[in-house]
């Protein structure tokens, strides 16, 4: 970074710190260039990247030959390799696509072929009996299925946080609560007007998710218009987890991926999402209609699931556009890269998109090369159920009793983990941010027992005497 | 594993039920009685319930929640029971073996008998499936009381209280203490759920109106609550009520995670363990007491469960496994559940010789009827009303004539 007076000047500025922007930041900050990541909200990964179904897709059902197909297939491998090295919770549950009608049953062979065209060869068609063996709690009427053993569940919160943490360790500047409001493309540098003052950069990457078309227009393009497509989801109590040993997918239709049942990496079961086009890009409210629709679906997909309490309900907005593919391109003239319309697979595709940006820069003669020394990748706290959590680890508790002090009972989050999150490189700004980093407050009681205690910890650590008490 | 402890009786949960069971067990001569509680202090829910109304039936005095909680802790300890706090029981290692996480490590407990006394909690907004935005300012009574009494945090200035159970009035008191006015209290029932005298005294406190047959259908506000939308269940009419705080009260669920993960049979009505009049569960040597079994009754009733279960546990420790009774008590209309749900082998009555029932309809001077195999085996007209949102107590003598081999006994209103 160079400073011109008060002005900040970078080789690359990335607009938007969702999972995509964070992945790009991580990739580019490994090169010999200065990088800024600019985010309107107070935290990274706080928009669509925090409210999705968190599946690491194989891409078996993408449109063959599309950029999305390539990015998902590549991203699947990259993130699948990266996750264990930094400790992103991931679990290879596999998926089962279930046919409920003769028509859907007839589609299965076509889907298996499509999977092959997408380079995925592990699908297998199974009969109804095998379907019920795989997921005994399914509702009646399943006629057959297609297995997709590679589909996995992953923690989308830790993923974005790991990218951003590594980017920051590699020297990337993180500008939070900074919204880009104007763009001025100069001869050699572009000036971004932001709510935090001007930021200058040679190249700009637009990873603004739902705001991507607005930024695109600031650059003088009119390539796409975003229609926020809301997806509402219901998360069921942990005690239901055995009912969903793997992801249960519907046969995709022209209307999208449809309603699925999925185990979550935190040990719950998720039902959703809905699919509804909106105009308000910030409307992540849930609706009566959405709930009724999902309960109706749930009743036929897995009736016994509805006997469990709902632990959480939320909605995410897909950045859908008039195009069927991702809208990705570079403009050498404006030193600008657009990552638009990253709708339903952006979590999976994130690292591939990071790599792709680097390739696009290279095609425009920006080839800074890898830094000589890179810091060790971060080690993220495990908030998933696939591996032992701190509360069950004697080694951690022996070293620090705060890992044996459970604060959030429902999710078994210890005071040690909350402290670590508050002291981390990118600390949470509010209870929701803490929830995404530790799982505190996301359990079945929703704060009945520990809400006040967690809020108190966020205000500051307890005095040692008080902490030792009890 | 740091260590293994081997108490004669392990009690999970140090609320009124668990603490009273511990004291009683010691007084009945059981040597090793250990209570585990995940909080830093034992005492259960009364710890944060800073108002009068505790201890009436068990301690024969009227006290505030925190003082009551301390008394129960003292009495258990004086009787020689050991209490370990900050100990969260996380699961089972065997039939009567449990694992806990504590600041000094993981501990395994191999017990002669286990009593689950983990209590109940209020259903939060999500479990009630109230749609809308997800702003700050939405509480359960439990969280509200801790925010106010423990953290002295500010709540809002204008609240809507969802529910009008006993606990809802407790929320009114807390809001008043915190300087927050009540814009509206809503109940889905046609009549408020508490005794007329409480409701009467409460109305003065409430300061705002009570909307009957009314449901909250949406929460509005991007950052902080700005309003709720309510619907009249009969007319279907909807309107907005401006507020910055919403408190979801009552609508209890038992904290049954440990019971379920042990494979213990649950009562489909209240979803706590299905127990007999001994308060024995379907797993040998595992008992249950308190609000885990009847979500939710008052603390003194939970405490007296503890006294009752202690005698059953002592019998079990002496005699070992008893055969499990086949007579199921079934909730008939208008009841959702009855506790206990089984008549015990020893033909002793339930705690306080009372059956506890939960109704979704109100009636004064109700006539309660018990039927077995088509025949009426008991009938009582009671001077106290049946009312939703509050436990209805029925003398055990109603079913005393049940035939141990006669199959299910259904309890309903005439
Ligand atoms: C219901 C649902 C289910 C999904 N399921 C999956 C799944 O299972 N697997 C999968 O791989 N993908 C899934 N997705 C898709 C995935 O969530 C998205 O593709 C991904 O999160 C997009 O990330 P992003 O970084 O592009 O966008 P975002 O996360 O939206 O990030 C964009 C960021 O840009 C910021 N921003 C916008 N404008 C400005 C500005 N002017 N100045 C500064 N900052 C700005 C925003 O504040 C935001 O933080 C799902 C999506 C939804 C909605
Ligand atoms: C706001 C409010 C007001 C009330 N007002 C009154 C009143 O005025 N008068 C009255 O008589 N009653 C009142 N009650 C009801 C009363 O508080 C309960 O009936 C009583 O607390 C029930 O006792 P319990 O022992 O069954 O459960 P609880 O008091 O809920 O105790 C359960 C204990 O188990 C512990 N526990 C749970 N799971 C675990 C685990 N896995 N590991 C370790 N420990 C665990 C918990 O930490 C807790 O301490 C009120 C309740 C509320 C919420």
């Amino acid at each position: 970074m160079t400073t011109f007076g008060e002005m900040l000047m970078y080789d690359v500025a990335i607009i938007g710190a969702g999972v995509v922007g964070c992945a790009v930041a991580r990739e580019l900050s490994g090169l010999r260039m200065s990088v800024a990541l600019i985010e309107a909200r107070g935290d990274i990964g706080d928009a669509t990247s925090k409210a999705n179904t968190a599946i690491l897709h194989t891409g078996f059902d993408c449109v063959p030959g599309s950029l999305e197909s390539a990015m998902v297939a590549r991203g699947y491998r990259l993130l699948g390799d990266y996750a264990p090295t930094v400790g992103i919770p991931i679990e290879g549950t596999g998926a089962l696509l279930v046919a409920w009608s003769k028509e859907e049953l007839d589609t299965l062979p076509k889907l298996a072929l499509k999977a092959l065209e997408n380079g995925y060869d592990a699908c297998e068609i199974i009969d109804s009996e095998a379907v019920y063996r795989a997921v005994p709690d399914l509702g009646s009427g399943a006629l057959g299925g297609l297995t997709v053993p590679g589909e996995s569940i992953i923690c989308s919160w830790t993923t974005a946080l790991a990218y951003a943490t590594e980017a920051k360790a590699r020297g990337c500047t993180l500008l939070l609560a900074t919204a880009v409001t104007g763009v001025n493309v100069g001869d050699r540098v572009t000036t971004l007007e932001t709510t935090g003052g001007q930021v200058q950069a040679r190249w700009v990457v637009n990873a603004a998710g739902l705001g991507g078309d607005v930024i695109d227009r600031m650059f003088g393009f009119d390539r796409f218009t975003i229609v926020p497509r809301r997806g509402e989801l219901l998360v069921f109590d942990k005690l239901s987890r055995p009912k969903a040993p793997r992801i249960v997918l519907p046969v995709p239709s022209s209307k999208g991926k449809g309603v699925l049942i999925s185990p979550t990496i935190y040990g719950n079961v998720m039902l959703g999402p809905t699919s509804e086009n909106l105009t308000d890009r910030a409307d992540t409210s849930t609706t009566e209609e959405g709930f009724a629709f999902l309960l109706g679906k749930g009743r036929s997909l897995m009736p016994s699931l509805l006997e469990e309490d709902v632990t959480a309900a939320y909605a995410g907005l897909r950045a859908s556009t008039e195009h069927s593919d991702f809208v990705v391109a570079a403009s050498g003239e404006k030193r600008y890269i657009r990552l638009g319309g990253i709708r339903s697979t952006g979590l999976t595709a994130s690292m591939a998109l990071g790599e792709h940006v680097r390739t696009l820069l290279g095609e425009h003669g920006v080839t800074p090369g890898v830094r000589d020394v890179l810091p060790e990748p971060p080690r993220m706290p495990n908030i998933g159920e696939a591996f032992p959590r701190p509360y069950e680890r004697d080694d951690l508790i022996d070293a620090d009793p705060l890992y044996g002090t459970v604060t959030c009972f429902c999710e078994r989050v210890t005071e040690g983990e909350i402290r670590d999150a508050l002291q981390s490189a990118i600390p949470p700004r509010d209870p929701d941010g803490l929830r995404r980093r530790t799982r505190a407050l996301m359990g079945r009681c929703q704060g009945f027992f520990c809400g006040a205690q967690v809020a108190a910890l966020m205000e500051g650590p307890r005095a040692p005497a008080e902490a030792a008490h009890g | 594993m740091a260590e293994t402890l081997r108490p004669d009786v392990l009690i999970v949960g140090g609320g009124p039920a668990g603490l009273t069971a511990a004291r009683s067990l010691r007084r009945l001569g059981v040597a090793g009685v250990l209570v585990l509680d995940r909080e830093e202090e034992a005492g259960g829910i009364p710890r944060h319930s800073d108002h009068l109304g505790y201890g009436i039936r068990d301690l024969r005095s009227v006290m505030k929640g925190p003082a009551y909680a301390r008394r129960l802790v003292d009495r258990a300890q004086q009787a020689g029971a050991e209490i370990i706090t900050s100990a969260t029981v996380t699961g089972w290692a065997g039939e009567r073996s449990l694992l806990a996480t504590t600041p000094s490590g993981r501990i395994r407990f191999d017990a002669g008998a286990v009593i689950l006394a983990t209590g109940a909690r209020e259903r939060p907004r999500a479990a009630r499936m109230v749609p809308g935005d997800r702003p700050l300012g939405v509480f359960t009574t439990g969280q509200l009381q801790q925010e106010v009494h423990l953290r002295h945090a500010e709540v809002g200035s204008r609240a809507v209280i969802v529910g009008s159970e006993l606990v809802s009035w407790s929320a009114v008191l807390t809001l008043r203490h915190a300087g927050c006015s009540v814009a509206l209290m809503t109940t889905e029932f046609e009549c408020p759920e508490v005794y007329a005298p409480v409701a009467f005294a409460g109305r003065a406190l409430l300061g705002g109106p009570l909307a009957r047959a009314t449901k909250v259908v949406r929460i509005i506000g991007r950052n902080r609550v700005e309003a709720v939308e309510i619907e009249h269940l009969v007319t279907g009419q909807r309107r907005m009520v401006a507020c910055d705080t919403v408190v979801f009260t009552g609508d209890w669920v038992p904290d049954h995670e440990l019971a379920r993960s042990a494979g213990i049979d649950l009562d489909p009505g209240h979803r706590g363990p299905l127990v007999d009049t001994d308060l024995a569960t379907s797993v040998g040597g595992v008992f249950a007491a308190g609000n885990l079994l009847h979500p939710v009754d008052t603390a003194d009733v939970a405490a007296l469960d503890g006294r009752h279960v202690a005698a059953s546990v002592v019998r079990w420790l002496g005699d070992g496994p008893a055969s499990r009774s086949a007579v199921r008590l079934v909730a008939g209309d208008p009841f959702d559940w009855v506790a206990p749900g089984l008549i015990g082998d020893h033909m002793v009555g339930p705690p306080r010789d009372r059956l506890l029932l939960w109704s979704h309809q109100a009636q004064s001077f109700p006539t309660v009827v018990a039927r077995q195999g088509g025949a009426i085996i008991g009938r009582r007209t009671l001077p106290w009303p049946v009312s939703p949102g509050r436990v209805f107590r029925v003398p055990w003598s109603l079913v005393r004539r049940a035939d141990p081999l006669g199959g299910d006994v259904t309890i309903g209103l005439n």
Side-chain angles (χ1 to χ4, degrees), chain A residues 286 288 391 394 459 462, chain B residues 1 40 101 132 151 238 260:
Chain A
T286 54
E288 282 171 86
Y391 82 86
D394 280 312
E459 277 168 6
R462 296 196 282 176
Chain B
M1 202 63 51
E40 282 177 11
T101 294
R151 205 161 75 86
R238 291 188 169 199
R260 273 187 78 172

Side-chain angles (χ1 to χ4, degrees), chain B residues 5 86 141 261 337 359 377 389 391:
Chain B
L5 298 180
S86 299
T141 317
S261 56
W337 51 258
S359 167
I377 57 161
V391 165

Side-chain angles (χ1 to χ4, degrees), chain A residues 15 38 179-185 190-195 197-199 204 214-215 217-219:
Chain A
I15 305 173
I38 308 173
V180 174
T181 53
V183 170
N184 189 346
V185 182
T190 298
T191 306
L192 300 175
E193 301 291 339
T194 80
T195 51
Q198 290 185 336
V199 178
V204 176
V214 176
I215 299 288
R217 292 201 181 96
M218 290 179 190
F219 275 91

Side-chain angles (χ1 to χ4, degrees), chain A residues 409 412 448-449, chain B residues 11-20 35-58 63-65 68 72 84 86-91 99-101 116-122 140-142 145 166-171 173-174 250 252 255-258 289-294 296-303 305 393:
Chain A
F409 304 122
R412 296 174 183 170
F448 179 89
F449 293 115
Chain B
I11 300 170
V12 185
L19 291 171
T20 307
V35 181
L36 302 182
D37 202 289
R38 58 195 183 184
E39 300 281 357
E40 282 177 11
E41 270 170 53
I45 282 184
R47 285 173 309 135
H48 310 301
S49 193
D50 199 12
H51 56 75
L52 289 172
Y54 283 92
I56 300 164
R57 294 183 187 80
D58 57 334
M63 22 197 345
K64 286 192 172 184
Y68 174 71
L72 293 185
I84 305 183
S86 299
T88 304
V89 177
T90 57
L99 297 173
T101 294
L116 300 176
T118 48
R121 69 193 137 80
E122 294 167 292
T140 48
T141 317
Q145 294 193 330
L166 270 175
V167 62
S168 321
W169 299 94
S170 179
L173 288 171
T174 304
W252 298 87
D255 250 317
H256 62 196
E257 183 176 20
L258 287 174
N291 276 342
L292 175 63
L293 298 176
H294 39 76
V296 58
D297 205 343
T298 51
D300 48 5
V301 170
D305 273 3
R393 308 192 178 102

